[in-house]
Amino acid sequence: MSRYNAKETEPKWQAKWAEMGVFEVKPDDRPKHYVLEMFPYPSGNLHMGHVRNYSLGDVVARYMTAKGKNVLHPMGWDSFGLPAENAAMEKKINPKDWTYANIARMRDQLKKIGFSYDWTREFATCDPEYYGQQQAMFIDMMEAGLAYRKNAVVNWDPVDMTVLANEQVENGRGWRSGALVERKELTQWFFKISEYSQELLDAIDGLKDWPEKVRLMQKNWIGKSTGLQFKFKTNDAPEGFEELEVFTTRPDTLFGASFAAISCDHPLAKSLETNAEIKAFNEECRSIGTSEEALEKAEKKGFDTGITVTHPFHPDWKLPVYIANFILMGYGTGAIFGCPAHDQRDLDFARKYYLIVTPVVCPEDQNADDFTVGDEAYVGPGRMINSRFLDGMEIEDAKAEVTKRIAADGMGEGVTQYRLRDWGVSRQRYWGCPIPVVHCEKCGVVPEKKENLPIRLPEDVSFDKPGNPLDRHNSFLVCDCPKCGAEARRETDTMDTFVDSSWYYARFTAPHAETPTDAEAADYWMNVDQYIGGVEHAILHLLYSRFFARAMQKTGHLPKKAIEPFNALFTQGMVTHETYATKGTDGRNVWRTPDEVRIADGAATLIETGEAVEIGPVIKMSKSKKNVVDPEDIIDQYGADTARWFVLSDSPPDRDVEWTAAGADAAWKHLQRVWRLASELFDAGGTGTDDDNADLERAMHIAIDDVSKGIESFTFNKSVAALYQLTNAIAKSDADADLRREAMRVMAKLMQPFVPHLAEEVWDAMGGEGLVTGADWPVFDPSKVEDDSVILPIQVNGKRKDEIKVAKSATKDEIEKLALANATVQRILDGAAPKKLIVVPGRIINVVI
RNA sequence: GCGGGCGUGGCGGAAUCGGUAGACGCUGCGGACUUAAAAUCCGUUUCCCGAUUGGGAGUGGGGGUUCGAGUCCCCCCGCCCGCACCA
């Protein structure tokens, strides 16, 4: 009996699949199914998180193929981005060379795992053939008014000389340089995602197969609120500021207003900066503006401008106007009126500056005459008080009434506000998709001619100075104006890498097309039926992709049906591992890799020195904590199937899975056992009894049903358990040898999505025809699992005491008689009669005494 | 603070139209095979008392509905994740 040798077997079958092109697909008569996993950034090393993500996708893809679908399952590379520039600076390598070398390495790693990708469709976002098409779409989006330039305040890193995304600012400092981030006004390119705010929000309800959590996160991110936007008349304000426009979701509380407040970035606040005190205050506000943690602790602070506004319903009622540090310019109008009694922030502010607190909403259980607000604003329901014509109304009616009167006076109107802001896509970086426009002195900003695309990144660039090397690359910079032909200057900003990943799913449907997409191919393959990836992309990537699908549809690059790119989304959990640390000389933790540590009897020591190692918490595998297991090592040691089996076992796919050496070993042992069973059966003879045969058939069909259900419900751990059970059943079975071989072939088919190499080997050994990859999924026959008798548990007062076997056809009366005749029941009853007898046929018997 | 999720043996987890709690796997323990080990196979593994037969407790805690609750309802406790001065 031979041992299963994964090292020889796996490459053999991988070569066979490649040779036969079994994963290469084109449109045909079968129903299509598009399975996509979030493509990786080519850092150079595949990690366990990738293995898990792609194993999950592979299960779905292989299963759907077996079920008769025409499955598109592509893979590519999200290959633009900062790490390549860092590598260029540190190692003096060209970003392109570094990136493509990484891709070659990772492609090799992926191929070793045997994923069912159609490699003919592979591309990298840094391929000019890809980003050139992206540039073409950018131009179309400019024409459609979806891409535009505007002045905006951005996070500017003065050391790296680039814009940083909000996520790249940590405690007010650049994540890489550590420099204090500045707020800088720059002219930037934007995508008009805000035009789709309402639609993106509404369509979330249709995303039935997305996790509820992600749908909520997107809803919150879009952040719709409805309210009243209106203008106050100002007094003693500088010229041009005769009115102050504010937004509120609580127009009902207008009679409780005691101040107005504006952002330090509000034009009015800026115009007052001729006053040195105000200038200093504004700058103080701005300095804490970027750090969210600072915001939490920051005290409510204001500066009384001396300006007042007149209450819209009372010409003599003047409210002071403050510049306040808690007002954001980016939301609403950057100005509010404060009603301290019913808003906590306003209340904190009012208490600090001794402003009036007038309650205008009275809870139903309070007396209007003596209802007061202490340190906690009242935000609950109630009736209006102290509000003239609103008194006695419900809040909602009061909101409507105020809105109606303000609108009638022409001072404002009801509006809807969104938190979602337009997507700033300009990056002052080299390794990204060049924005295909030209700056001409005469013609202004002109899009490049499409026949000149792609605008290629120059390769002869140097990173010896900070900033964007494109800015000092003359042959890139100097160009002809596409409109007038005069000498002009090329845009040097590149696109945010999130743009690259916002449409790659569409490109996969026709990766070599001369246009961004091919109408026929997109029509056949879109939408993605199952998208799988990490929850960390719940907002940005997924929202941008949803926007892009709409933008592409508007510019004619996607069919209307593909307006939502991903029909179903699954977010998988992380791969975690214990952490190991020794104490350094300075008392700090020195992290150790699992390779460096030996664990015996629950205690860990350093292999090299025998030094004691502290076992730390189980957390996501990360380079910084060194708690990583390299998939390549596992493949070398055990084979790809073992890695796949492990990451699919035990934990449900949406939860974290802890990688352990013991678990990997156990996975390997199981696969060995399956192979051993197969080889024992290879030339086994013998017949079994009818009962033995029926039992094995039952086990087979239970497994078919359970494995299928597990896959379809994304609880692959249950499918794995079902496969274990079938293995046990075959091992114990005394059925006919032919039937056992048949069971083994069924198991090969059921295993194929999980451990395809072993499945092929078993299939081959058991005389299966052709490849098991692509073979039809076994059909579940319910009649094989039925039994003509059933075991019913007997409870006494709800506690299980015994069980009886009864014919399935037994009537309630017959079951009752059998139950009462049961020895255990008789003993407990001790001659007494039961109070009640519950019989649920096929389920349970409960004797109540 | 707001929103969401979760709490089941030593561990990962099964069991949700209310119906045998702990499938399956890991670990541990015992045994077989072996000169020995590895590998493999068999048994056992929720806890407590008896210690064979049996009895009791048990799904974070407390209460409720029900013949019957991990599952439904109410009140607590704890953990995790996301968002966070959004007017």
Side-chain angles (χ1 to χ4, degrees):
Chain A
M1 170 178 53
S2 62
R3 214 175 210 211
Y4 178 67
N5 188 336
K7 249 185 169 158
E8 282 173 18
T9 307
E10 292 182 348
K12 179 179 80 186
W13 292 111
Q14 286 158 16
K16 192 96 183 165
W17 298 329
E19 183 193 312
M20 297 178 65
V22 290
F23 306 126
E24 291 166 26
V25 290
K26 51 182 192 294
D28 63 24
D29 295 339
R30 288 175 291 171
K32 68 93 188 179
H33 195 84
Y34 185 179
V35 181
L36 185 66
E37 299 108 53
M38 291 180 185
F39 67 162
Y41 177 79
S43 62
N45 280 300
L46 201 72
H47 53 72
M48 264 319 161
H50 292 128
V51 175
R52 188 177 198 203
N53 189 177
Y54 304 150
S55 295
L56 296 171
D58 210 40
V59 169
V60 177
R62 286 171 173 271
Y63 173 74
M64 285 300 173
T65 305
K67 292 286 272 187
K69 299 276 175 60
N70 188 20
V71 173
L72 175 59
H73 190 211
M75 180 45 73
W77 311 96
D78 188 14
S79 54
F80 271 136
L82 198 58
E85 288 182 58
N86 291 342
M89 278 181 256
E90 284 159 22
K91 297 173 191 160
K92 309 280 178 215
I93 310 172
N94 185 288
K96 178 184 163 187
D97 296 339
W98 183 82
T99 301
Y100 281 101
N102 285 346
I103 287 174
R105 190 172 146 68
M106 288 177 74
R107 180 193 301 117
D108 200 52
Q109 291 176 318
L110 284 181
K111 286 191 172 177
K112 276 189 182 172
I113 307 178
F115 294 129
S116 61
Y117 296 128
D118 179 353
W119 284 106
T120 65
R121 291 172 186 264
E122 176 195 3
F123 61 77
T125 56
C126 66
D127 295 342
E129 295 73 27
Y130 181 80
Y131 70 70
Q133 300 299 340
Q134 188 164 304
Q135 290 169 339
M137 283 197 294
F138 187 93
I139 291 166
D140 291 342
M141 285 169 73
M142 277 175 77
E143 273 160 23
L146 291 173
Y148 68 98
R149 255 158 68 94
K150 75 168 178 191
N151 238 6
V153 177
V154 295
N155 305 303
W156 179 258
D157 185 321
V159 170
D160 281 355
M161 294 174 65
T162 186
V163 168
L164 296 179
N166 287 330
E167 304 80 48
Q168 294 162 344
V169 180
E170 293 165 358
N171 292 320
R173 290 173 182 275
W175 65 332
R176 225 157 47 79
S177 67
L180 270 176
V181 166
E182 295 168 3
R183 288 154 64 99
K184 194 168 171 176
E185 267 195 45
L186 277 181
T187 303
Q188 300 266 290
W189 285 95
F190 285 84
F191 283 149
K192 209 165 190 178
I193 190 169
S194 65
E195 187 166 310
Y196 293 92
S197 298
Q198 187 63 50
E199 200 188 316
L200 287 167
L201 183 67
D202 291 343
I204 290 172
D205 290 333
L207 299 173
K208 303 265 185 261
D209 292 318
W210 281 41
E212 185 57 28
K213 179 183 172 154
V214 174
R215 294 169 24 157
L216 271 161
M217 281 165 76
Q218 293 224 344
K219 277 186 187 173
N220 292 338
W221 189 263
I222 295 168
K224 179 181 180 174
S225 54
T226 53
L228 171 66
Q229 190 164 314
F230 71 97
K231 288 170 179 160
F232 279 109
K233 293 258 181 301
T234 60
N235 311 294
D236 309 319
E239 209 183 316
F241 295 99
E242 286 76 18
E243 290 176 329
L244 179 66
E245 190 163 37
V246 299
F247 173 72
T248 179
T249 56
R250 293 295 300 272
D252 55 305
T253 64
L254 194 49
F255 288 100
S258 55
F259 66 97
I262 60 177
S263 160
C264 62
D265 289 319
H266 193 279
L268 174 56
K270 284 186 177 172
S271 80
L272 297 172
E273 284 184 8
T274 46
N275 175 326
E277 257 187 289
I278 291 184
K279 186 163 196 225
F281 181 81
N282 285 351
E283 270 162 16
E284 190 195 327
C285 290
R286 282 173 204 139
S287 71
I288 56 162
T290 43
S291 159
E292 276 158 14
E293 267 174 59
L295 285 178
E296 193 179 354
K297 291 167 201 137
E299 216 185 330
K300 302 278 172 287
K301 270 191 181 173
F303 190 99
D304 191 344
T305 60
I307 299 168
T308 59
V309 292
T310 304
H311 194 280
F313 296 131
H314 202 304
D316 299 330
W317 187 354
K318 307 274 200 281
L319 305 170
V321 176
Y322 285 79
I323 299 169
N325 64 351
F326 61 96
I327 309 298
L328 306 172
M329 194 56 221
Y331 188 79
T333 61
I336 60 147
F337 75 79
C339 175
H342 307 290
D343 182 289
Q344 193 59 48
R345 283 164 318 171
D346 295 349
L347 184 61
D348 294 344
F349 190 82
R351 292 297 183 214
K352 182 166 167 120
Y353 294 101
Y354 305 103
L355 298 163
I356 305 159
V357 179
T358 312
V360 290
V361 178
C362 181
E364 295 290 354
D365 60 354
Q366 295 272 329
N367 189 333
D369 296 330
D370 53 34
F371 175 61
T372 55
V373 166
D375 286 331
E376 216 171 298
Y378 178 71
V379 294
R383 287 188 181 276
M384 305 310 298
I385 54 171
N386 303 324
S387 297
R388 295 175 37 184
F389 54 82
L390 301 175
D391 282 349
M393 284 186 186
E394 299 276 358
I395 291 175
E396 288 310 314
D397 297 333
K399 282 182 181 172
E401 181 63 24
V402 169
T403 303
K404 196 178 93 189
R405 291 195 185 215
I406 293 272
D409 291 350
M411 290 184 291
E413 58 183 349
V415 296
T416 302
Q417 287 283 351
Y418 301 91
R419 252 184 49 156
L420 183 67
R421 284 173 241 168
D422 278 343
W423 175 14
V425 294
S426 290
R427 294 293 180 270
Q428 289 69 40
R429 287 187 180 135
Y430 164 75
W431 193 235
C433 172
I435 292 175
V437 300
V438 165
H439 300 270
C440 171
E441 273 190 27
K442 210 166 82 195
C443 311
V445 178
V446 186
E448 189 49 90
K449 289 182 191 157
K450 278 196 181 170
E451 63 258 35
N452 292 342
L453 301 183
I455 301 302
R456 288 172 185 266
L457 284 172
E459 291 177 28
D460 53 335
V461 287
S462 69
F463 292 90
D464 40 18
K465 285 181 220 152
N468 184 351
L470 294 177
D471 281 335
R472 38 178 204 269
H473 193 288
N474 264 345
S475 65
F476 178 80
L477 217 48
V478 180
C479 61
D480 297 336
C481 170
K483 205 164 162 188
C484 72
E487 187 175 300
R489 198 189 136 99
R490 200 172 284 295
E491 170 71 63
T492 58
D493 281 355
T494 56
M495 290 184 219
D496 182 359
T497 56
F498 274 108
V499 180
D500 313 337
S501 54
S502 292
W503 70 286
Y504 77 111
Y505 50 86
R507 184 69 183 168
F508 273 137
T509 64
H512 310 299
E514 300 290 320
T515 46
T517 55
D518 173 84
E520 218 171 293
D523 191 55
Y524 179 80
W525 290 115
M526 288 300 287
N527 306 348
V528 174
D529 292 281
Q530 182 66 61
Y531 196 38
I532 307 171
V535 74
E536 67 272 19
H537 295 109
I539 295 178
L540 294 182
H541 163 61
L542 290 165
L543 194 61
Y544 293 153
S545 295
R546 295 182 60 219
F547 159 69
F548 232 84
R550 287 166 171 81
M552 286 175 77
Q553 196 250 314
K554 186 170 178 184
T555 50
H557 295 298
L558 272 183
K560 190 149 196 157
K561 68 166 189 176
I563 202 153
E564 280 297 336
F566 313 121
N567 287 347
L569 171 70
F570 187 85
T571 53
Q572 96 270 3
M574 298 177 296
V575 181
T576 61
H577 198 286
E578 282 181 331
T579 43
Y580 307 110
T582 51
K583 289 286 174 216
T585 44
D586 57 356
R588 297 241 300 261
N589 280 337
V590 178
W591 301 105
R592 301 294 183 172
T593 67
D595 285 350
E596 297 176 286
V597 175
R598 176 188 298 125
I599 299 184
D601 302 323
T605 50
L606 206 59
I607 292 171
E608 209 179 324
T609 63
E611 194 183 338
V613 172
E614 196 184 328
I615 300 179
V618 176
I619 54 171
K620 181 185 180 178
M621 283 189 182
S622 80
K623 266 190 203 155
S624 63
K625 295 290 191 294
K626 293 200 176 170
N627 60 334
V628 290
V629 173
D630 187 343
E632 217 159 10
D633 291 345
I634 298 300
I635 293 164
D636 283 347
Q637 198 182 342
Y638 297 107
D641 280 343
T642 295
R644 296 173 65 124
W645 188 254
F646 184 98
V647 295
L648 295 168
S649 319
D650 283 355
S651 290
D654 55 347
R655 286 198 217 170
D656 292 351
V657 65
E658 185 190 349
W659 185 277
T660 59
D665 213 49
W668 183 77
K669 279 181 186 167
H670 171 72
L671 301 183
Q672 287 292 339
R673 182 176 177 226
V674 171
W675 175 247
R676 207 164 40 245
L677 262 178
S679 42
E680 281 166 9
L681 279 171
F682 188 69
D683 50 8
T687 54
T689 65
D690 286 351
D691 277 355
D692 290 336
N693 294 343
D695 283 349
L696 185 56
E697 280 202 297
R698 183 175 305 113
M700 272 162 58
H701 283 273
I702 287 173
I704 293 169
D705 195 34
D706 286 352
V707 172
S708 309
K709 279 181 180 157
I711 294 174
E712 276 167 25
S713 64
F714 257 96
T715 47
F716 300 162
N717 55 318
K718 289 193 236 170
S719 300
V720 166
L723 284 167
Y724 271 109
Q725 271 165 320
L726 181 57
T727 309
N728 292 340
I730 297 173
K732 288 197 173 77
S733 175
D734 292 317
D736 292 352
D738 283 339
L739 183 60
R740 279 183 286 155
R741 277 188 285 269
E742 164 68 11
M744 217 53 212
R745 282 193 294 274
V746 166
M747 188 153 87
K749 284 182 171 182
L750 297 177
M751 284 194 305
Q752 185 263 126
F754 300 85
V755 284
H757 311 89
L758 175 62
E760 291 289 3
E761 198 69 9
V762 168
W763 179 254
D764 190 47
M766 294 294 99
E769 213 172 294
L771 293 173
V772 74
T773 295
D776 288 348
W777 195 249
V779 177
F780 171 57
D781 180 353
S783 72
K784 300 284 190 196
V785 303
E786 273 168 19
D787 203 342
D788 44 14
S789 63
V790 61
I791 290 172
L792 289 183
I794 302 181
Q795 295 182 333
V796 175
N797 287 346
K799 296 275 178 201
R800 183 184 174 280
K801 294 291 176 184
D802 205 346
E803 60 187 30
I804 51 172
K805 193 171 183 178
V806 300
K808 211 162 199 177
S809 57
T811 65
K812 224 167 162 173
D813 281 353
E814 287 166 345
I815 296 171
E816 273 184 27
K817 283 198 186 89
L818 283 168
L820 290 174
N822 174 273
T824 310
V825 174
Q826 294 251 316
R827 178 170 56 74
I828 294 169
L829 281 175
D830 196 20
K835 268 194 208 144
K836 203 169 170 184
L837 191 60
I838 314 270
V839 173
V840 186
R843 281 278 185 198
I844 205 159
I845 301 157
N846 192 9
V847 184
V848 185
I849 57 172

